[in-house]
Amino acid sequence: DGGITQSPKYLFRKEGQNVTLSCEQNLNHDAMYWYRQDPGQGLRLIYYSQIVNDFQKGDIAEGYSVSREKKESFPLTVTSAQKNPTAFYLCASSMAGGTGELFFGEGSRLTVL
Amino acid sequence: SQQGEEDPQALSIQEGENATMNCSYKTSINNLQWYRQNSGRGLVHLILIRSNEREKHSGRLRVTLDTSKKSSSLLITASRAADTASYFCATDSNNNDMRFGAGTRLTVKP
């Protein structure tokens, strides 16, 4: 079945460690997005990519990094520079242009111990 | 910064009643979308309305858009307990990004 897959679903990290969240899609979508969601809050845009080998910062990119080496993959690294990384992270994709429907993964919950 | 702001933040109704949620945004948009999120899950797309449209229907959903007021509303008719979820509006700018509001938490009591 076509869809978007995030892994891991739950992740625990010690302070000072970098962690990478995986996002893979087999929908042949050009655009991919990473959002952060805090409890009871909306989604805040971290990074987005419209095409392979290109990506743009969103509203809260500090302390995060991404790569887009393949069309189907858009991993997010939460670095030790991110001061409050505990959150629910959502990846999404859409067709070219990014102005259509977003398809979301089931999310990754990161907890810093 | 978040583009959309939903109102109310929380809404509790009885099964069978209608639920209305509002969204206001700040800048010009190409389209506005509404999404639903069950607790701890990803978001699911409900409906998209383009900037040149004023109203759109899909099943029990009715969406309106007023670009002069930079606002939209989502009406869910004859609500069911299964409609309990958070609802978000999302807008895109000319940068092809997609930004979401803070959401409305809807509770439908059986």
Side-chain angles (χ1 to χ4, degrees):
Chain A
D1 286 354
I4 183 164
T5 303
Q6 290 186 240
S7 64
K9 190 168 178 63
Y10 299 97
L11 185 61
F12 297 88
R13 177 194 111 174
K14 293 182 179 179
E15 282 193 25
Q17 288 181 335
N18 292 356
V19 293
T20 297
L21 307 180
S22 170
C23 179
E24 303 278 332
Q25 54 98 0
N26 60 4
L27 300 166
N28 200 33
H29 285 169
D30 287 298
M32 297 188 75
Y33 305 80
W34 273 106
Y35 293 91
R36 169 182 172 139
Q37 186 177 34
D38 292 287
Q41 303 297 313
L43 280 67
R44 290 185 290 169
L45 183 62
I46 305 173
Y47 270 98
Y48 63 105
S49 169
Q50 297 297 315
I51 197 170
V52 174
N53 292 323
D54 188 42
F55 48 82
Q56 289 76 41
K57 293 182 179 180
D59 298 318
I60 56 165
E62 185 175 352
Y64 300 98
S65 66
V66 293
S67 62
R68 186 83 189 277
E69 297 176 359
K70 298 186 297 182
K71 187 175 185 177
E72 57 270 23
S73 179
F74 191 41
L76 173 73
T77 297
V78 184
T79 75
S80 56
Q82 169 51 234
K83 299 198 182 309
N84 185 21
T86 294
F88 188 52
Y89 292 88
L90 287 159
C91 180
S93 69
S94 70
M95 292 179 67
T99 58
E101 173 185 351
L102 292 187
F103 291 79
F104 279 84
E106 285 298 297
S108 292
R109 189 169 299 281
L110 172 64
T111 303
V112 174
L113 304 173
Chain B
S1 60
Q2 290 185 282
Q3 163 76 309
E5 293 292 335
E6 284 90 343
D7 162 56
Q9 289 186 332
L11 180 61
S12 182
I13 59 174
Q14 294 293 137
E15 214 167 23
E17 295 180 340
N18 295 343
T20 299
M21 289 159 268
N22 302 297
C23 169
S24 60
Y25 57 91
K26 299 173 185 175
T27 62
S28 297
I29 61 171
N30 295 317
N31 63 60
L32 185 142
Q33 302 179 44
W34 285 90
Y35 288 80
R36 166 195 169 122
Q37 183 185 33
N38 287 352
S39 182
R41 306 292 299 275
L43 278 70
V44 175
H45 181 262
L46 294 176
I47 195 166
L48 180 152
I49 186 166
R50 302 200 183 281
S51 59
N52 61 354
E53 296 177 309
R54 292 296 167 258
E55 186 171 315
K56 203 162 183 178
H57 296 254
S58 176
R60 292 185 296 114
L61 305 180
R62 173 179 169 252
V63 170
T64 63
L65 178 64
D66 187 336
T67 52
S68 67
K69 296 181 179 178
K70 291 188 171 59
S71 67
S72 172
S73 67
L74 171 67
L75 168 67
I76 304 174
T77 61
S79 63
R80 307 165 181 167
D83 294 328
T84 294
S86 291
Y87 292 83
F88 296 89
C89 68
T91 56
D92 70 303
S93 69
N94 290 328
N95 293 327
N96 294 326
D97 51 6
M98 289 289 294
R99 286 181 164 79
F100 288 76
T104 292
R105 293 186 301 281
L106 173 66
T107 302
V108 181
K109 300 175 185 176

